[in-house]
């Protein structure tokens, strides 16, 4: 059995991220959400594009209002009104001001904005009732970003803030990495689909649906191969087909030591290189990983909790890294949390307990899912947001003590 951290580093070293040139496609602003930027973005626009006012008020020359106060108001002549979107025509001379609104261009000659709350309007004149700071409320051209500098770097996920930047930069054709194709297949003679009547001994294939969900949530494209019976040749054909179609294959079941556990043998027969056969993790020990020239194959254990735990711990960072994301976006996120229950360790495997991670008064707490923490029990897996980890050699975490927790959503 490989230690968890060794298995993780083997896996991450096997990942060849998508190529920013050959694996890119172009999407629009409204379809870019959740995608990963594939090329650096540079704008030819300064931000702000023009010197402009941050407030509704009057554009003035600072020297004209330097001694203004309620007792000694400074009176200026208003020579132009400048709403947002309008290009000012006049130059402000000594003794003059322009009426100006938020976002409107600063007129030539003016260097300061006086907010309208500090003024009194008298027809085409304005009394300035207090001295502003020099350059007050001016948003200078290029003060946020100068044309030609790097704006967005490849490998970042595109969400609302980045899409706002892309829109503002008039980038309407966005180069993103293509979606990863992730094939899913469930092995097992006992399995039926959720809409089939259950006969004695049968079980619904829940893994396929769980995995399709987590894969899609990562922005990849799940390709379902359905349920494959425990028949060597049928399974071999299905696996061969999946490897051909996908960047990553996730099968569940058939990786332990039972007579019908064929996955590893088939992977070897198909020319795969086996990198991992078992990991010292509970649940999830029989995790099997093989590589093919264009595909990475994960044989996840069949038990529903084992399948999801090994997905979260090993497959998720692999999918993220392969998708083109920068390391800070694919590295697993562990947090320190106060355990609300005793967690019992022991044995030869790193133990993953499932439950809820909640932030209480600035500190994480881990609430163990009640009921049986056994890999066949998917019922108490609902609402899992974190996995508390007990390393090998640690016999327990007492209620109230801290434990490392892997965030899973
Ligand atoms: N003698 C030993 N037996 C087992 C060992 C062992 O070391 N020695 N390891 C156990 C561990 S740990 C696990 S985990 C399982 C893994 O088994 P497989 O990956 O071979 O999976 P199966 O045997 O096919 O199924 C296990 C279990 O999961 C249910 N299952 C399978 N597929 C699905 C699915 N798509 N959706 C829902 N549930 C599924 C299946 O019915 C079985 O109950 O092996 C132990 N055995
Ligand atoms: O590894 Mo198994 O997943 O312990 O039940
Ligand atoms: Mg088995």
């Amino acid at each position: 059995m490989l230690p968890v951290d060794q298995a993780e580093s083997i896996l991450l070293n096997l990942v060849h991220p998508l190529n920013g040139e050959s694996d890119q496609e172009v999407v629009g602003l409204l379809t870019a959400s959740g995608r990963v930027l594939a090329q650096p973005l540079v704008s030819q626009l300064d931000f702000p594009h023009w010197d402009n006012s941050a407030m509704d008020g009057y554009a003035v020359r600072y020297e004209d209002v330097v001694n203004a106060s309620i007792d000694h108001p400074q009176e200026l002549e208003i020579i132009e009104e400048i709403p947002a979107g309008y290009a000012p025509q006049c130059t402000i001379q000594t003794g003059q001001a322009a009426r100006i609104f938020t976002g409107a261009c600063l007129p030539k000659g003016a260097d300061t904005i006086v907010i309208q709350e500090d003024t009194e309007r008298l027809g085409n004149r304005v009394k300035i009732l207090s001295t502003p700071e020099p350059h007050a409320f001016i948003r200078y051209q290029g003060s946020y970003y100068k044309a030609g500098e790097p704006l967005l770097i490849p490998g970042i996920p595109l969400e609302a803030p980045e899409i706002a930047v892309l829109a503002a930069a008039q980038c309407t054709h966005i180069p993103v990495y293509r979606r990863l194709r992730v094939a899913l297949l469930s092995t097992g003679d006992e399995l039926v689909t959720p809409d089939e009547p259950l006969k004695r001994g049968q079980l619904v294939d829940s893994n396929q649906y769980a995995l399709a969900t987590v894969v899609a949530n990562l922005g990849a494209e799940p390709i379902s191969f359905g349920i494959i019976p425990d028949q060597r040749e049928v399974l071999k054909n299905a696996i061969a087909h999946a490897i051909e179609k996908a960047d990553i294959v996730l099968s569940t079941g058939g990786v332990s030591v039972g007579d019908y556990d064929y996955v590893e043998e088939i992977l070897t027969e198909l020319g795969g290189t086996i990198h991992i056969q078992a990991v010292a993790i509970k649940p999830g020990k029989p995790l099997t990983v093989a590589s093919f020239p264009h595909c990475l194959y994960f044989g996840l254990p069949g038990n529903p909790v084992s399948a999801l735990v090994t997905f979260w711990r090993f497959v998720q960072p692999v999918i993220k890294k392969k998708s083109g994301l920068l390391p800070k976006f694919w590295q697993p996120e562990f947090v320190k949390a106060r355990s609300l229950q005793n967690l019992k360790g022991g044995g030869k495997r790193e133990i993953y307990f499932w439950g809820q991670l909640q932030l209480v008064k600035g500190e994480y707490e881990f609430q163990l899912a009640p009921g049986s923490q056994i890999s066949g029990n998917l019922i108490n897996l609902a609402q899992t947001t974190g996995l508390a980890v007990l390393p090998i050699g640690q016999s327990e975490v007492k209620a109230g003590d801290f434990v490392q927790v892997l965030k899973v959503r």
Side-chain angles (χ1 to χ4, degrees), residues 185-188 190-191 201 203-208 227 230 252-258 260-261 281 283-286 299-304 306-307 349 375-376 378:
L185 50 97
S186 296
T187 75
E190 76 279 31
L191 301 176
L203 184 73
V204 174
D205 167 20
S206 55
N207 288 346
Q208 185 120 199
I227 297 167
D230 291 319
T252 61
V255 287
S256 185
V257 293
Y260 302 96
D261 293 338
I281 185 170
K285 174 184 66 179
L300 306 180
N303 279 314
S306 313
R349 298 187 274 168
S375 61
L378 54 62

Side-chain angles (χ1 to χ4, degrees), residues 99-113:
R99 178 72 168 125
I100 197 164
F101 299 95
T102 304
C105 283
L106 190 73
K108 284 203 192 94
D111 58 15
T112 299
I113 304 296

Side-chain angles (χ1 to χ4, degrees), residues 128-183:
I128 307 297
L129 305 177
S130 78
T131 308
E133 294 292 316
H135 308 290
F137 300 119
I138 295 177
R139 306 189 286 202
Y140 283 102
Q141 177 169 350
S143 61
Y144 308 159
Y145 168 83
K146 287 211 171 12
E149 285 180 350
L151 185 61
L152 295 178
I153 53 171
I156 59 169
L158 300 178
E159 293 303 342
E162 297 75 28
I163 291 172
V165 172
L166 290 162
Q170 300 187 307
C171 181
T172 54
H173 294 73
I174 304 156
V176 295
Y177 288 101
R178 68 170 173 82
R179 287 186 196 280
L180 279 186
R181 292 182 292 267
V182 181

